[in-house]
Amino acid sequence: MRIKAAVLGATGLVGQRFVSLLANHPWFDLVALTASEKRVGRSYGEVVEWVIGEDVPDAVKDLQVLPNDLKVLRREGVEVAFSALPSSVAWGVEESLLKGGITVVSNASPMRLEPDIPLLNPEVNVSHLEVLEKQKRRGWSGRLVKVPNCSTAILTLALKPLIDVYRVRRVAVTTMQAISGAGLRGVPGYMIGCNVIPFIKGEEEKLTAESAKILGFVDKDSIRPSEVRVSASCTRVPVLDGHLESVFVDLDESVNPSEVVKVLKSFRGEIAGWGLPTAPENPVVVRGEEWRPQPRLDVMAGEGMSVVVGRVRVDEGDRLLKFFVLGHNTLRGAAGSGVLIGEAMVKKGLL
Amino acid sequence: MRIKAAVLGATGLVGQRFVSLLANHPWFDLVALTASEKRVGRSYGEVVEWVIGEDVPDAVKDLQVLPNDLKVLRREGVEVAFSALPSSVAWGVEESLLKGGITVVSNASPMRLEPDIPLLNPEVNVSHLEVLEKQKRRGWSGRLVKVPNCSTAILTLALKPLIDVYRVRRVAVTTMQAISGAGLRGVPGYMIGCNVIPFIKGEEEKLTAESAKILGFVDKDSIRPSEVRVSASCTRVPVLDGHLESVFVDLDESVNPSEVVKVLKSFRGEIAGWGLPTAPENPVVVRGEEWRPQPRLDVMAGEGMSVVVGRVRVDEGDRLLKFFVLGHNTLRGAAGSGVLIGEAMVKKGLL
Amino acid sequence: MRIKAAVLGATGLVGQRFVSLLANHPWFDLVALTASEKRVGRSYGEVVEWVIGEDVPDAVKDLQVLPNDLKVLRREGVEVAFSALPSSVAWGVEESLLKGGITVVSNASPMRLEPDIPLLNPEVNVSHLEVLEKQKRRGWSGRLVKVPNCSTAILTLALKPLIDVYRVRRVAVTTMQAISGAGLRGVPGYMIGCNVIPFIKGEEEKLTAESAKILGFVDKDSIRPSEVRVSASCTRVPVLDGHLESVFVDLDESVNPSEVVKVLKSFRGEIAGWGLPTAPENPVVVRGEEWRPQPRLDVMAGEGMSVVVGRVRVDEGDRLLKFFVLGHNTLRGAAGSGVLIGEAMVKKGLL
Amino acid sequence: MRIKAAVLGATGLVGQRFVSLLANHPWFDLVALTASEKRVGRSYGEVVEWVIGEDVPDAVKDLQVLPNDLKVLRREGVEVAFSALPSSVAWGVEESLLKGGITVVSNASPMRLEPDIPLLNPEVNVSHLEVLEKQKRRGWSGRLVKVPNCSTAILTLALKPLIDVYRVRRVAVTTMQAISGAGLRGVPGYMIGCNVIPFIKGEEEKLTAESAKILGFVDKDSIRPSEVRVSASCTRVPVLDGHLESVFVDLDESVNPSEVVKVLKSFRGEIAGWGLPTAPENPVVVRGEEWRPQPRLDVMAGEGMSVVVGRVRVDEGDRLLKFFVLGHNTLRGAAGSGVLIGEAMVKKGLL
């Protein structure tokens, strides 16, 4: 028996990725797709501007688009809703579903920093699901788990193995983020063509706050942030998919690059051995070529669920570690992590 | 009486920029253009693949391309040669010219770190010309001044005002460098299209070593490097012209961003008031808009000779300063600085 | 005494070009800028997202943005309004101005095909201004002239000299149009990056109908379309500015390519010798290099007002003429032609 | 028993595609890879700059790169060589192999127009294999078949079904060709970024001559060209993979677009039912969306072996048919067709 699932905001870029991952999923049965009012009532295949390659999956082409409405979703028997709603409208919809008993795995930014709401990058902190207990006090009969910001998901997956082993003091990261991170129409072609835009609204603050939470730990039912400070400068580059990040890590000890590579390569994370369908074999791939990772060549590593690290080297008495990390921003950084969270919840009996 | 000048390697991208700046220069008379053997003897207009916009200047269109040969250049009365030769062949040619009494302003990388050879970013360290005295020991009758690496010229112009005022400990920079930095055919379109390449051979080492030299000072006829350490991670992005750099500056004191902006804006540098034709009014332009500097919009600030700083902000108890700086890599970062050096030498009676 | 002018829709891409051309114009005094309601009342410098390079001209930076309202524009003494309004709202506004005695030069598509409204590409058909007489029957006290569709303006400027000399039967054109043709936000970066989109809504129909009108002639106060048929296939390419068109011309006679080049080069058009400030010396520039015209290298020919033709050659018994033509879509194809029309009207005493 | 195969010129872009298609092929056993002298002797995985995504196939990673030498290839037992050699060196190597008894399927342009050498686009003209008989007169003990030029392979696959049904008089095509068509380093990033180059050396002539041959027929052991004339204008656009072509077809009869679509969709071609592993189910895919085919979305249709047609429409009394066709230039337009040819030869007992 597969679990009945919905995708909220199914026509956007992250929505399309959710649909693509769930259309033929072994554990979930995608029964409902929602979109904004003007699209409701028509078939998904007809209203979606499918831009992620190939075609709309046959399994969902003819699904009638539904409104973001609790009653309608309950009528379809939806048990879990994967939300790709825009931040401006997400919370109102998600809260009504939670009250009505539908579990929500949400990619929208509101509520990500609440101490009783897990912000999950599964390999890094699936243990944070523990705090779900505390959510009962909110009077919800569904559960809420948040998917991290895209750049933060990618960064923390590379930082986690290092923090486990080394005394990390501070991280300074410069991101080079793909156009798809702003959604289908977020970045005008005229502005990004042959250009770099050195600003993404709210992104640097998210990298700091969400990294601290994800790398933190559960203390008495609540998530306590890590003391590793992340400082970020974010840019948009003319790349379609795949955020590349240039990372400088200040350490309180000397490190050896080839050992760092070993540490990264051997990382399996908190869900190792769980048998989750969407989990990549190697969450952190390390490439030895000097000229990689590159968005175009490496973005689909682990079917878009691995991050790829390269150019690991040290500076300043070996206490400044430098490397690049790349990840697929709408898979590992959004829909893929969302589905992986759903799978982890199934495994833990939370769905 | 204008000074007779040559451009060596005049058909490449930096060579074209030199030609464009010198073709109608008030102080220099461009009488000779050199290129590789197979182009020698034909007219410049015929052999150059002019790609920097508009047309080959009329003044040089019909100049016959010459070989890189001392006798030939002396026959033309050349007093100063601006060299855009490829690194692999530059030093052999440049040395013969120096021995033969022709002064060389060179953009090629060999010899940049020699203590008696000024590596000049004029507003920052024109005073380093002092060490030219010491060059006499080499037995040259010409003088040699080197133009810094492109990314380094841009970075040090933004750092100099800060170092003059604040206690700077360390700089961590991630560069996003334009395609033109690798010359006309250096970066294949198939590799850079919708992509970022996280590696530029030798660039990170240059940023460290050349920054230290440029920001250093003359001590007993020799250039002593600065103690400010620059650590770099360099990338190539699909931008035509204009290197953008994301800079993190660790300070030993707290700073206020609006004061930093004032410090940058008020910087005029060591050549202020000299009346050099190519010197920009404001070497460091600061933009207040959050979304700038952008290569496409800001690369031509100060006719390509200013660097443009934006998003000045602080983090971590105000001791970590962050900003972006942009500069035109083949003007401020190569030919433009070369011509400005030439002008400064004229002013100092060295030409 | 300069003529008081307004730009309607001054914050969009074509609006910015109008502002840039009119801010320091010798014949026009730019006194009013309009935009949509939410921007009204603030200074132009503050509300415009200036993306066409450099900075907002000082002359207009502090102008307060006005609504699209007849009374307001009359209060400012506006005699002519250059309209860059979106097609959906343009006609309502333009008609009210015409009734109220303000002459309108409009880039918006509605009314372009009316027989008593000149659709002007000045070098080609300034004589069509004759039909303005007939507009009086509409009860307007202002006059209306329309600027052609961008691709059509570029194409007809290259076709006119040929039609004057040769028996042209049919034209088949494939356009490769720049992103800016769809306005600032018209083409999402995610869709156009490393891609070509083989469709532009309404464009092919415009090329057919507007070409016929522009190349037509005045017969008894009315414009009779040309019999030269244009058939078009239109695409969007990842180019910022500059539409490139691949043109096949079927002729009823044999032609010689070098004669065709002479015909094109010698074309001066109907406004030759009028002394209009924005008129390019050579409306049609012909390049001999096989690899040109290219958008990046040639788009600013004649300060964006010339079209550039290249690769003129023949096929099939010399009765099929092939060439490429390039023009700046927001200058020659929009705002530049608009200003040139205004100048021609001044010269003819119509303003 | 699989047939022992070599790839000549295995490190270039087309070479990499051949390797990727043959590494795990059911009928061929890839036993030899050749490259230029400086790479010989090292492992393929080490010398190839693999840029077509993912990794070098494990099956060939450790193959030692061989020289283009008959003896060496015979020692490896090579029966068929798929040649991706550069045109300048191809013929010398290929001829020596043919004399030595190795059959060659070659993507290089020399000899494509010889009347006794099939130029094969299998679905269109596999019957031309007949003329192989005639090759015996050349004294070769191997057989030579040529793969067509990329743009021509794509175009003729879309034209063949039309020519079979309608009276086609002339075709005028404008191509928008991907960067990969010029090989890994053929198009400099600085020239193609945000640009279109309206020239590809030799391409227009190839489209005319090769289309005539491919669409022609065998008459008395020799290939007689078709009378359908193709006239072409070729451009390079900033697209990675996938040539898009804008096609105008002049007909001697009226046609109905929806019937044309049916004709195209129902085309199966001369190898239908042969069971060739690389043959796409539908050689010609027709998309109904106005905004397709697009290189980014459609290039991998039929695993890169189908061409995708869209925007089928008519003009001028329905006697001018217009449409776009897209194909993968290094799969359908090069290596994919090469492998398909090899498969067809196996089926016919020619290998």
Side-chain angles (χ1 to χ4, degrees), chain D residues 31-345:
Chain D
V31 298
L33 302 175
T34 77
S36 55
E37 278 311 321
K38 64 176 180 232
R39 293 195 175 91
V40 168
R42 293 158 69 202
S43 78
Y44 183 67
E46 196 186 334
V47 303
V48 69
E49 197 171 9
W50 190 261
V51 294
I52 60 170
E54 296 168 24
D55 271 314
V56 180
D58 283 334
V60 297
K61 210 171 237 167
D62 299 324
L63 276 186
Q64 213 191 34
V65 171
L66 304 176
N68 288 302
D69 185 275
L70 172 66
K71 279 186 204 155
V72 174
L73 295 175
R74 285 176 77 162
R75 197 183 57 213
E76 303 293 330
V78 169
E79 294 161 88
V80 59
F82 293 92
S83 168
L85 292 170
S87 293
S88 53
V89 305
W91 182 234
V93 175
E94 293 173 16
E95 194 177 21
S96 73
L97 267 55
L98 291 164
K99 286 180 179 166
I102 295 179
T103 282
V104 176
V105 177
S106 164
N107 189 56
S109 56
M111 309 297 285
R112 278 196 193 138
L113 299 178
E114 296 294 305
D116 63 339
I117 299 179
L119 182 64
L120 228 60
N121 201 7
E123 289 90 340
V124 177
N125 66 335
V126 77
S127 55
H128 291 194
L129 283 175
E130 251 182 75
V131 301
L132 283 177
E133 273 304 298
K134 218 174 153 186
Q135 279 185 14
K136 288 176 186 163
R137 302 182 207 163
R138 289 183 183 263
W140 299 340
S141 37
R143 292 174 173 107
L144 175 61
V145 180
K146 284 277 166 178
V147 182
N149 160 269
C150 46
S151 308
T152 311
I154 294 160
L155 178 65
T156 51
L157 194 46
L159 289 181
K160 174 64 174 168
L162 301 175
I163 286 172
D164 284 350
V165 173
Y166 302 113
R167 276 178 287 138
V168 171
R169 189 152 49 84
R170 194 189 75 188
V171 175
V173 62
T174 296
T175 65
M176 287 157 275
Q177 302 187 212
I179 298 170
S180 58
L184 202 48
R185 295 175 190 286
V187 182
Y190 192 68
M191 292 187 182
I192 199 65
C194 291
N195 204 11
V196 178
I197 302 174
F199 181 63
I200 298 173
K201 202 173 169 60
E203 194 77 3
E204 296 169 359
E205 293 80 0
K206 286 176 190 165
L207 268 157
T208 299
E210 297 189 18
S211 292
K213 180 169 179 185
I214 294 168
L215 297 171
F217 51 98
V218 180
D219 180 33
K220 295 179 196 144
D221 285 6
S222 184
I223 299 165
R224 275 225 337 239
S226 163
E227 288 187 354
V228 172
R229 292 164 298 156
V230 172
S231 183
S233 278
C234 294
T235 75
R236 186 77 67 194
V237 292
V239 160
L240 296 172
D241 293 302
H243 290 357
L244 182 68
E245 312 188 12
S246 165
V247 187
F248 289 78
V249 182
D250 272 294
L251 298 151
D252 279 331
E253 62 183 309
S254 294
V255 293
N256 175 295
S258 60
E259 266 174 36
V260 170
V261 167
K262 266 183 226 161
V263 165
L264 291 167
K265 277 187 170 172
S266 62
F267 177 73
R268 287 296 170 275
E270 298 191 355
I271 54 169
W274 291 26
L276 308 185
T278 302
E281 202 186 313
N282 298 306
V284 182
V285 170
V286 184
R287 305 262 350 172
E289 302 92 330
E290 268 185 322
W291 41 293
R292 290 171 89 158
Q294 290 179 21
R296 198 167 71 72
L297 297 181
D298 295 307
V299 72
M300 288 309 295
E303 299 186 56
M305 287 301 289
S306 298
V307 299
V308 185
V309 168
R311 301 205 64 223
V312 177
R313 58 220 193 282
V314 292
D315 213 340
E316 318 223 342
D318 306 343
R319 285 163 171 263
L320 178 62
L321 174 69
K322 302 193 281 187
F323 61 88
F324 286 92
V325 59
L326 171 84
H328 195 301
N329 52 299
T330 60
L331 289 172
R332 167 52 70 175
S337 284
V339 173
L340 189 58
I341 289 167
E343 294 168 358
M345 291 177 78

Side-chain angles (χ1 to χ4, degrees), chain B residues 5 40 42 47 69 114 122 157 161 174 190 205 220 228 230 271 275 278 345:
Chain B
V40 167
R42 292 158 68 200
V47 302
D69 185 277
E114 296 294 304
L157 194 48
T174 297
Y190 192 68
E205 295 78 1
K220 294 179 197 143
V228 171
V230 171
I271 54 169
T278 303
M345 291 178 78

Side-chain angles (χ1 to χ4, degrees), chain A residues 81-101:
Chain A
F82 293 92
S83 169
L85 292 170
S87 293
S88 52
V89 304
W91 182 233
V93 175
E94 292 174 16
E95 195 178 19
S96 73
L97 268 54
L98 291 164
K99 286 180 176 165

Side-chain angles (χ1 to χ4, degrees), chain C residues 25-58:
Chain C
H25 194 281
W27 297 1
F28 297 108
D29 183 15
L30 187 53
V31 298
L33 302 175
T34 76
S36 54
E37 280 310 321
K38 64 176 183 232
R39 294 196 174 90
V40 168
R42 293 158 70 200
S43 78
Y44 183 68
E46 197 185 333
V47 303
V48 70
E49 196 171 10
W50 190 261
V51 293
I52 60 170
E54 295 167 26
D55 272 313
V56 179
D58 282 335

Side-chain angles (χ1 to χ4, degrees), chain A residues 280-349:
Chain A
E281 202 186 313
N282 299 304
V284 183
V285 170
V286 184
R287 304 258 358 169
E289 301 93 329
E290 268 184 324
W291 40 293
R292 289 171 89 159
Q294 291 179 20
R296 197 165 71 73
L297 297 181
D298 295 307
V299 71
M300 288 309 295
E303 298 186 57
M305 288 300 290
S306 298
V307 299
V308 184
V309 168
R311 302 205 64 224
V312 178
R313 57 221 194 281
V314 293
D315 213 338
E316 316 225 343
D318 306 342
R319 284 162 171 265
L320 177 62
L321 175 69
K322 301 192 282 189
F323 61 88
F324 286 91
V325 61
L326 171 84
H328 195 300
N329 51 299
T330 60
L331 288 172
R332 168 50 72 175
S337 284
V339 172
L340 189 58
I341 289 168
E343 294 168 358
M345 291 176 79
V346 172
K347 198 75 182 184
K348 295 288 276 186

Side-chain angles (χ1 to χ4, degrees), chain A residues 259-281:
Chain A
E259 267 175 34
V260 169
V261 168
K262 267 184 223 161
V263 165
L264 290 167
K265 278 188 170 173
S266 61
F267 177 74
R268 289 297 171 274
E270 297 191 356
I271 53 168
W274 290 27
L276 308 185
T278 302
E281 202 186 313

